[in-house]
Amino acid sequence: MKREVEKKRNLYERYLDEGIFGTGENYSTSGLVSEIYGRVYGKKEIGIREILKTWRSFLKQKKRMGHLSLYTHIPYCYERCHYCYTTSCKLEDEEDLEKYVKKLVKYYHVFEETFKNETFDNLYIGGGTPSILTEDLLELLLSELFDCFRIGKEGERTFENDPRNFSVEKLKIVKKYGINRVSFGVQSFNEEVLKLNNRVDQTEEQVKKAIAGAKKVGFDCINLDLMVGLYGEDEESIIESFKKALKLKPDSISVYTVQPVGGYLTRVYNVDKEEFFNHREKLMNNVMDDFLRIAESEGYHLPGIEKDIENATRNKHLNNADCLQVVKKDFEYDPATKYVSHPVYELNSILGFGRGSGSTITGRLRYEMTRPLTKNPKEYRFKGLEYDLRREMLKNVIITFSINNSMSLQKFKNKFGRSFLDEFNRSLRELKEAKIVSVDGDKINFNCEDPKERLVHLLFFFEEKDIDAYVKKVKKIKKGKKGNGRSRIKIDKTLREKIESVEGRINKNETERIEGRIVKKNNDEIVLRSEEEDFKINTEGSFLVVEVLLKEDDFQPIRKKESELKDLKKGDSLVVTICNKDPELTPFLIQKMSVVD
């Protein structure tokens, strides 16, 4: 068995080296289950009627698993930071905010009847930048949300803020509606580092003013976020930012590590992912002792570190799905439940709203809102993936061992009503043979800190047939195979290089293709009509236009040639490649499909 395990491990490591697994520039494991099953079995388009039906069936259960949380996403920012991995885009027109919120609240009303007898445990309003909303729009959003849904007062209610566009008046509005936790995304106090990462015009004075304003309004918890691994920073600037954050005396400070996506390493860092992760690991190792010492001197500590070694280990190693958090020693904040988007500590069904939001119906379905909001919510098409109990358990295992070095067998059984040893017996035997896993009473210990090695060994928990099917599909995509490959496409070298350059900037996991005919065209946008709705494609940015010539008899592509925006006209059939995290629908690539004899 030892030889077979080693062979399997080497095979999976080779897959990582070939870019088969890992999110482009990342060794992230948080989306591994959805990525593999979504690719193998396909994410399906789901109408709102089916979504509501699934929720009603779930809510009727006498014994439901976990908590029920509500999430709303505001995708706009004044600038999109280079390192950002959330669905967000630059706000080009203030009117877009009003249009977005007015569309968004219509979705609340469609779900209102289904949840009329339910009380949500937690609320999280994130982005993007929720604090980018005007006072009037914030009032509209929250009044409609609380009119449609009942949210328990004992749980956590969070509102995210950017210190550049917060105001005391906005904080008073969210306080009025029961928000008890505000979080400020600061990331760094080094203005030069922020500029290098396209986070412009943020000053230390703004951050001081924001924290002071939140204290004046009064919240149960005021949190400040920092990041480690930003381009341009070193150990000295990281420690200096941490010191400055502590001096402001927020209730808690959360330190996240950069998770590179969307060309961050190639366009900004100019290093490969192994170099980056070695650099990030070195930074964390070198600053951690200083973090703990400085935090202690300022009256902060890692929660649980004195009595919970497992929790201390989780905080200290800062793996990809978690953060290091320090809190005031005298800080008392213990809501009945907290908002969590992953199932490590507790299961959590989430009803999400807004483009870029994700929803979880535990043991049933996970679905996303990847497309622009439609005026009529009943016409919206979600992207969903069935999530039975087995997939929920697998997700739990993957995320747990991505954050912690151990897992309680009894807690797993309490959560799922199943035995971990029975459900993952084969995986456990193989990983014990590889000396990655050991059993110590109630604990399963996962002995792997290196992010690449961790991802390799977490793949052992999947069925081999699913790994094989996933690899085949990804390899087929990488080779550019389409259909049965009967046609060879003629394309000159210069255009091929341009297309390869464009594709090199695109994270495959973040792209979406919109197909349709042009029904309207002006200087800054094209209106594309698909079978479902009209899409406004923003044409102010930089992108490549290609004409694809198709054979008349079987519509197979035979040639590609470069074209220009001015050559596109009403009635043309287009395939537009966009980033699904960009609500403005700015394309990377526009392909005009033309039939020839």
Side-chain angles (χ1 to χ4, degrees):
M1 184 181 182
K2 185 175 182 179
R3 184 177 297 177
E4 292 176 358
V5 170
E6 186 63 24
K7 183 179 178 181
K8 188 173 180 178
R9 184 206 165 282
N10 290 339
L11 178 64
Y12 289 173
E13 185 170 8
R14 194 180 81 225
Y15 288 155
L16 258 69
D17 291 338
E18 293 174 357
I20 302 294
F21 291 100
T23 312
E25 300 175 339
N26 214 322
Y27 291 123
S28 174
T29 57
S30 57
L32 195 59
V33 177
S34 293
E35 167 61 18
I36 290 176
Y37 285 123
R39 185 79 69 184
V40 173
Y41 299 102
K43 291 184 179 181
K44 62 178 182 177
E45 289 195 349
I46 311 173
I48 206 162
R49 197 174 288 180
E50 185 177 345
I51 294 291
L52 290 170
K53 182 180 178 181
T54 307
W55 270 115
R56 284 194 289 267
S57 174
F58 171 79
L59 295 172
K60 283 180 181 177
Q61 296 176 106
K62 290 183 178 179
K63 290 186 177 181
R64 299 203 300 258
M65 300 173 71
H67 297 294
L68 184 63
S69 295
L70 186 62
Y71 177 79
T72 283
H73 192 78
I74 307 298
Y76 292 103
C77 300
Y78 284 128
E79 292 284 347
R80 180 174 166 84
C81 303
H82 290 324
Y83 53 80
C84 185
Y85 59 87
T86 67
T87 300
S88 62
C89 72
K90 180 179 179 180
L91 179 66
E92 300 288 355
D93 189 336
E94 296 287 342
E95 290 184 2
D96 291 337
L97 278 178
E98 184 176 0
K99 291 176 183 176
Y100 180 83
V101 172
K102 286 184 176 179
K103 285 181 183 178
L104 181 61
V105 298
K106 290 180 180 179
Y107 287 77
Y108 295 163
H109 288 282
V110 173
F111 282 80
E112 178 181 8
E113 178 65 21
T114 299
F115 287 86
K116 66 180 181 181
N117 296 320
E118 299 296 327
T119 298
F120 288 89
D121 297 297
N122 308 292
L123 168 67
Y124 199 103
I125 301 174
T129 311
S131 58
I132 202 171
L133 297 177
T134 64
E135 292 169 21
D136 288 343
L137 288 177
L138 193 54
E139 182 74 45
L140 172 63
L141 180 88
L142 292 172
S143 63
E144 293 286 347
L145 188 149
F146 280 89
D147 280 348
C148 292
F149 305 109
R150 187 166 59 242
I151 302 164
K153 295 181 179 179
E154 298 79 18
E156 187 173 74
R157 303 176 175 193
T158 297
F159 185 83
E160 286 185 351
N161 295 267
D162 184 326
R164 295 171 295 179
N165 51 46
F166 108 100
S167 75
V168 169
E169 289 307 312
K170 290 179 186 178
L171 292 181
K172 286 180 179 178
I173 292 171
V174 301
K175 169 82 171 180
K176 179 178 71 174
Y177 283 97
I179 295 296
N180 57 16
R181 178 179 181 270
V182 289
S183 183
F184 291 89
V186 176
Q187 322 316 353
S188 174
F189 282 86
N190 188 313
E191 292 180 25
E192 287 304 312
V193 168
L194 292 173
K195 288 176 184 176
L196 288 172
N197 289 273
N198 203 41
R199 190 174 180 85
V200 296
D201 300 327
Q202 178 180 302
T203 66
E204 185 176 342
E205 193 58 37
Q206 287 174 324
V207 179
K208 289 180 179 178
K209 188 176 178 181
I211 299 299
K215 288 180 179 180
K216 181 179 179 181
V217 174
F219 293 92
D220 293 347
C221 179
I222 299 170
N223 178 73
L224 186 153
D225 287 345
L226 294 175
M227 296 192 85
V228 171
L230 293 170
Y231 176 65
E233 72 177 357
D234 55 21
E235 295 164 24
E236 185 179 345
S237 69
I238 293 170
I239 292 171
E240 187 62 24
S241 286
F242 190 63
K243 286 180 178 178
K244 289 182 176 181
L246 288 166
K247 291 294 183 185
L248 298 181
K249 299 298 180 185
D251 299 310
S252 62
I253 300 171
S254 300
V255 183
Y256 295 85
T257 51
V258 171
Q259 302 299 323
V261 294
Y264 186 59
L265 297 188
T266 53
R267 291 186 292 106
V268 181
Y269 254 96
N270 196 28
V271 297
D272 64 29
K273 86 177 155 184
E274 198 143 345
E275 287 180 88
F276 170 78
F277 278 95
N278 287 337
H279 164 69
R280 197 188 73 177
E281 187 75 13
K282 183 179 178 181
L283 281 177
M284 279 309 305
N285 287 337
N286 290 344
V287 303
M288 182 57 67
D289 289 341
D290 285 327
F291 270 14
L292 299 180
R293 176 181 54 78
I294 297 166
E296 178 73 22
S297 69
E298 292 291 338
Y300 286 75
H301 70 134
L302 289 172
I305 194 167
E306 298 89 352
K307 57 184 179 180
D308 186 349
I309 298 301
E310 178 183 336
N311 193 40
T313 302
R314 169 177 64 82
N315 272 307
K316 186 169 181 178
H317 285 293
L318 255 185
N319 287 332
N320 67 44
D322 205 17
C323 72
L324 177 148
Q325 188 175 68
V326 297
V327 301
K328 287 180 179 177
K329 287 184 177 179
D330 59 351
F331 178 52
E332 295 183 7
Y333 171 66
D334 189 24
T337 59
K338 292 185 178 182
Y339 181 92
V340 291
S341 58
H342 53 67
V344 175
Y345 310 109
E346 54 191 282
L347 294 173
N348 194 24
S349 290
I350 301 170
L351 175 62
F353 291 100
R355 190 166 191 221
S357 67
S359 298
T360 300
I361 308 177
T362 302
R364 306 288 180 95
L365 179 70
R366 293 190 178 223
Y367 64 90
E368 304 163 327
M369 297 184 73
T370 60
R371 296 187 170 187
L373 303 185
T374 52
K375 290 182 180 179
N376 183 354
K378 294 181 180 179
E379 296 175 355
Y380 195 85
R381 306 293 292 177
F382 302 83
K383 278 192 176 179
L385 179 66
E386 290 182 9
Y387 248 76
D388 58 15
L389 187 60
R390 171 70 185 185
R391 292 182 185 178
E392 291 287 359
M393 290 189 289
L394 180 56
K395 175 83 172 179
N396 179 266
V397 170
I398 298 297
I399 299 299
T400 298
F401 287 142
S402 294
I403 294 176
N404 298 337
N405 290 336
S406 65
M407 179 174 67
S408 164
L409 295 173
Q410 188 59 51
K411 287 181 180 178
F412 183 93
K413 190 167 186 177
N414 292 343
K415 192 181 297 182
F416 295 104
R418 304 282 183 90
S419 164
F420 174 85
L421 300 180
D422 292 340
E423 292 293 330
F424 298 98
N425 183 266
R426 174 192 58 80
S427 307
L428 186 59
R429 284 188 289 109
E430 291 177 338
L431 290 170
K432 285 173 72 175
E433 185 66 44
K435 301 189 184 307
I436 294 298
V437 161
S438 59
V439 181
D440 181 15
D442 179 57
K443 299 287 186 185
I444 297 285
N445 298 310
F446 191 79
N447 309 307
C448 194
E449 292 301 334
D450 179 79
K452 181 179 179 181
E453 287 294 310
R454 184 175 60 243
L455 177 51
V456 166
H457 290 102
L458 287 175
L459 292 174
F460 277 66
F461 286 102
F462 290 85
E463 296 292 331
E464 289 185 21
K465 65 179 179 63
D466 292 328
I467 295 291
D468 291 342
Y470 177 82
V471 170
K472 286 177 182 177
K473 284 184 178 275
V474 173
K475 283 187 173 181
K476 184 176 181 180
I477 292 169
K478 282 180 172 288
K479 289 179 180 179
K481 292 182 178 178
K482 295 182 180 179
N484 57 18
R486 286 179 290 172
S487 299
R488 289 183 177 274
I489 305 175
K490 293 181 179 179
I491 177 170
D492 67 69
K493 183 180 178 182
T494 302
L495 179 57
R496 186 182 299 280
E497 289 174 350
K498 287 183 178 180
I499 292 174
E500 288 175 353
S501 175
V502 169
E503 291 176 342
R505 293 190 286 113
I506 304 173
N507 185 334
K508 299 295 184 184
N509 296 319
E510 298 178 0
T511 60
E512 183 175 344
R513 298 174 74 185
I514 300 174
E515 301 179 13
R517 289 186 179 275
I518 298 176
V519 293
K520 184 180 178 182
K521 179 188 173 188
N522 55 38
N523 292 333
D524 56 5
E525 72 177 15
I526 289 173
V527 178
L528 202 64
R529 178 160 295 167
S530 71
E531 292 181 1
E532 300 157 1
E533 60 183 295
D534 289 355
F535 293 93
K536 291 183 178 180
I537 308 298
N538 177 18
T539 57
E540 290 187 309
S542 175
F543 51 87
L544 182 63
V545 181
V546 174
E547 183 174 16
V548 182
L549 304 182
L550 309 173
K551 289 168 63 178
E552 186 176 27
D553 56 349
D554 60 4
F555 296 102
Q556 288 291 314
I558 56 175
R559 186 182 174 195
K560 289 185 179 181
K561 60 181 184 179
E562 190 168 1
S563 187
E564 296 182 25
L565 183 63
K566 64 181 179 62
D567 296 327
L568 304 180
K569 61 184 184 300
K570 187 175 179 180
D572 283 344
S573 295
L574 303 183
V575 177
V576 181
T577 303
I578 63 162
C579 174
N580 61 26
K581 295 182 179 295
D582 176 13
E584 292 304 306
L585 302 188
T586 304
F588 289 103
L589 177 65
I590 295 179
Q591 298 184 82
K592 173 185 174 182
M593 317 306 284
S594 302
V595 178
V596 295
D597 294 337

